Amino acid sequence: MKAVHAAAAVGRVAVVEMLLKVTEPDEGLTGGGWTASEVQERVQAKLRAMSGGGGGGGSKVDSKDGSKYGSKGAVEGDNNSGGKGKQGGGGGAYKPVGVTDAMVSEMHKRAGDEAFIKGDYASADVAYTSSLTLGDDTNAKVWSNRAAARLKLKDNRGALADAITARQIDGGYVKAWFREGCALTELKDFEGAAVAFFEGLQVDGDNKDLKGGFDAAIAKGREAHLKTTK
C-alpha cells in the first residue's frame, strides 16, 4: 500500500492531494482517474470488502506506519537485545511492561540527555536504552529521544521504530511525529514522511519544524518522481 492510499483510508483529503503529485498512478489509472476522489473511493471500497461489505468499522488502515516498514505496530518489544525495536508485520502496537523503577529510569534519562547535548550520541543511545529497559518503558519522551540519537547515528530504521513507539504511547507528542517523518525522509520514503509530518500538524498546526519537514518531503518526493520519469 502506498502512503497516498493510507491517507485516503483515514480521510486526509489535503494530504492525498499533495501526495498525488509525487506518487506513481496505480496500475490501470492515468489522467482523469488519478484524482483524490477516485483514490478515496477505491480505497474505501477495498476497506468495505475487507470488512465483509459492512461499514468502515475497525478496518481503517494505520496511515502512519506504512507497509514498507511493517504494518500496524511496526515495533515489537525487543528491548533486551541491545534495545533496538524490531520492525515486523502485524505485531500489533507496542505493549509496555510498565514502570518498574522510576528513579533508575530518570537517572539514565538524565545521563542520556547530557550525552546528547555533548554530541556523544552512542552513549546517549545506551543511556536511553537503560532508561527504557531498567525502569520505565512507558515514557514517550525517552523513546523519542532515543530516536533522535539514532538519527544522529544514521540508524534510521531504529529511529523510525522508536518514533513510532513514542507516538503509539502518546499520540499528542509532536516530536515523535517529527522524528518519524525525519526517519522516513532519510529512508527515502517521502510519501510516508509527508503523512507523518501531516499527522503531527493535526496536533500542532503552527509547528514550524513539522511544516518544514512536510514541505521538504513533498519537494524531495517530487524530485525523485521526476528522475524516474525521465
Side-chain angles (χ1 to χ4, degrees):
M1 175 178 286
K2 300 174 182 176
V4 69
H5 298 143
V10 293
R12 300 297 193 188
V13 179
V15 76
V16 170
E17 291 176 343
M18 284 283 192
L19 291 173
L20 284 174
K21 302 174 184 177
V22 297
T23 307
E24 284 284 350
D26 293 340
E27 187 176 351
L29 271 187
T30 57
W34 190 235
T35 64
S37 59
E38 177 64 23
V39 170
Q40 286 191 285
E41 185 177 332
R42 286 166 62 89
V43 169
Q44 292 301 326
K46 287 184 179 180
L47 290 176
R48 287 193 295 272
M50 289 169 60
S51 61
S59 306
K60 282 190 176 180
V61 176
D62 189 325
S63 67
K64 283 75 74 176
D65 296 345
S67 58
K68 272 191 189 177
Y69 306 100
S71 56
K72 286 177 64 178
V75 184
E76 296 173 357
D78 189 27
N79 299 318
N80 291 325
S81 57
K84 292 191 179 185
K86 180 173 63 178
Q87 293 170 239
Y94 178 77
K95 296 179 181 178
V97 173
V99 180
T100 56
D101 195 324
M103 289 183 64
V104 167
S105 179
E106 181 59 27
M107 177 185 70
H108 287 294
K109 178 185 179 298
R110 284 199 301 270
D113 292 344
E114 291 171 3
F116 190 96
I117 290 170
K118 292 177 182 177
D120 186 354
Y121 304 119
S123 294
D125 186 326
V126 171
Y128 290 137
T129 297
S130 295
S131 177
L132 293 167
T133 59
L134 300 178
D136 181 7
D137 64 348
T138 68
N139 192 325
K141 290 183 179 180
V142 179
W143 284 103
S144 182
N145 286 355
R146 193 173 73 170
R150 290 182 171 181
L151 281 168
K152 293 291 188 180
L153 294 167
K154 305 301 182 184
D155 178 10
N156 298 317
R157 288 182 179 272
L160 174 62
D162 283 355
I164 290 173
T165 299
R167 57 95 166 150
Q168 285 177 340
I169 292 171
D170 183 0
Y173 189 51
V174 295
K175 285 185 178 180
W177 291 109
F178 176 71
R179 285 162 186 162
E180 180 178 348
C182 288
L184 287 166
T185 299
E186 291 298 318
L187 290 164
K188 301 190 185 305
D189 181 356
F190 303 122
E191 297 172 57
V195 172
F197 290 128
F198 182 85
E199 292 290 348
L201 286 167
Q202 305 315 294
V203 179
D204 182 2
D206 296 323
N207 189 290
K208 292 182 180 179
D209 289 334
L210 289 169
K211 286 181 178 178
F214 179 80
D215 290 341
I218 292 295
K220 289 178 180 179
R222 184 180 295 114
E223 182 181 348
H225 176 65
L226 289 173
K227 285 182 179 178
T228 61
T229 56
K230 283 183 179 179

